[in-house]
Amino acid sequence: FQANILTELKKWKLNLIQHHKIQVRQEKEKHAAHVKQLQNEIENLKELLHTYEISVTRKDEVITNLARALEKQKDRVELMRKFTLWRIQHVKAKQQEYAVRMADKHFQTALVKKVWTAWRSVSEERWKDKVARACQLRAEDVCVQLTNDYEARLGELTAALEQTKAEILRLHSERDQYEDTMKKAFMRGVCALNLEAMTMFQSK
């Protein structure tokens, strides 16, 4: 009976040891599978991180390019503004020069009229009234002609000035529109970057 008990105990011991070895092997297999799964996940996360790094680098390049383009556009608008101001000053200088020239011409005409009247009054006293009236009419015609010429020239210069002002307004409008477009593009890029970051955090 004691031998049978010892034999049975040995069987139980062997069975227990075998069962323990099987459990240990199963746990090792599970552990190896879990470690392999974790390693695969780490590799996938590394690839995803590399992809995100490339995406962030590209977005930084895009933002840098947009900032450079915006700076160039600002410089261009500033140059156009300076050129327009110079053009307006140039037109004003031309108007002033033309006005001075017309005044000198009018003065010379009036002086010639006076000299002519004096000479005619000295040389022919009896034709004094007639010559004075003729000279006056002639001077009035010349003055009217000069006035018409000056008004026409002034109208042309005024039209050119208005056109220049309209060009300035158009350039300002284009600059504002371009700045709005750049702001929207920049905001779209930032929003896309935020959405990608939120997606990554949510996935984690």
Side-chain angles (χ1 to χ4, degrees), residues 13 16 43 46 48 51 57 59 67 79 85 99-100 115 126 128 136 139 141-142 145 176 204:
K13 183 179 180 181
L16 184 62
E43 292 296 328
K46 285 182 179 179
L48 183 61
T51 304
T57 304
K59 284 182 172 59
L79 290 175
L85 291 176
V100 171
V115 172
R126 59 181 180 173
K128 182 178 180 180
Q136 185 177 1
D141 293 336
V142 171
Q145 184 65 31
D176 294 337
K204 286 185 179 180

Side-chain angles (χ1 to χ4, degrees), residues 91-104:
V91 170
K92 288 182 178 179
K94 278 189 175 181
Q95 287 180 346
Q96 187 175 2
E97 182 182 356
Y98 183 76
V100 171
R101 192 165 60 248
M102 289 295 104
D104 290 339

Side-chain angles (χ1 to χ4, degrees), residues 138-154:
R138 179 60 180 167
E140 289 177 355
D141 293 336
V142 171
C143 289
V144 170
Q145 184 65 31
L146 290 175
T147 303
N148 292 332
D149 293 339
Y150 177 75
E151 288 179 353
R153 180 61 179 168
L154 186 61

Side-chain angles (χ1 to χ4, degrees), residues 14-172:
L14 290 174
N15 289 331
L16 184 62
I17 292 172
Q18 187 69 25
H19 182 68
H20 179 69
K21 287 181 179 179
I22 292 172
Q23 286 184 347
V24 169
R25 187 172 64 252
Q26 289 177 353
E27 291 296 327
K28 285 183 179 179
E29 291 176 355
K30 289 181 181 179
H31 178 69
H34 185 65
V35 169
K36 186 175 181 181
Q37 182 181 1
L38 290 177
Q39 287 179 350
N40 291 331
E41 289 181 358
I42 290 172
E43 292 296 328
N44 292 330
L45 289 175
K46 285 182 179 179
E47 292 179 358
L48 183 61
L49 179 61
H50 182 65
T51 304
Y52 282 147
E53 287 177 352
I54 294 174
S55 177
V56 169
T57 304
R58 289 179 180 174
K59 284 182 172 59
D60 290 338
E61 291 177 356
V62 171
I63 291 171
T64 303
N65 293 332
L66 289 175
R68 289 178 182 174
L70 183 60
E71 193 65 27
K72 288 182 180 180
Q73 187 66 20
K74 286 183 179 178
D75 294 338
R76 182 181 177 187
V77 170
E78 184 66 21
L79 290 175
M80 291 298 294
R81 186 180 68 82
K82 290 181 180 179
F83 174 73
T84 306
L85 291 176
W86 173 82
R87 190 173 179 181
I88 291 173
Q89 292 177 357
H90 183 64
V91 170
K92 288 182 178 179
K94 278 189 175 181
Q95 287 180 346
Q96 187 175 2
E97 182 182 356
Y98 183 76
V100 171
R101 192 165 60 248
M102 289 295 104
D104 290 339
K105 190 174 181 181
H106 182 69
F107 176 76
Q108 293 294 332
T109 304
L111 186 61
V112 169
K113 172 190 168 185
K114 289 180 180 179
V115 172
W116 173 259
T117 304
W119 179 78
R120 290 293 292 174
S121 64
V122 170
S123 58
E124 295 181 2
E125 188 66 26
R126 59 181 180 173
W127 294 99
K128 182 178 180 180
D129 295 334
K130 185 177 180 180
V131 170
R133 285 195 300 270
C135 289
Q136 185 177 1
L137 291 174
R138 179 60 180 167
E140 289 177 355
D141 293 336
V142 171
C143 289
V144 170
Q145 184 65 31
L146 290 175
T147 303
N148 292 332
D149 293 339
Y150 177 75
E151 288 179 353
R153 180 61 179 168
L154 186 61
E156 292 177 358
L157 293 176
T158 303
L161 182 61
E162 292 297 329
Q163 185 177 1
T164 305
K165 288 180 179 179
E167 183 69 17
I168 291 174
L169 292 176
R170 185 182 67 79
L171 290 174
H172 282 297

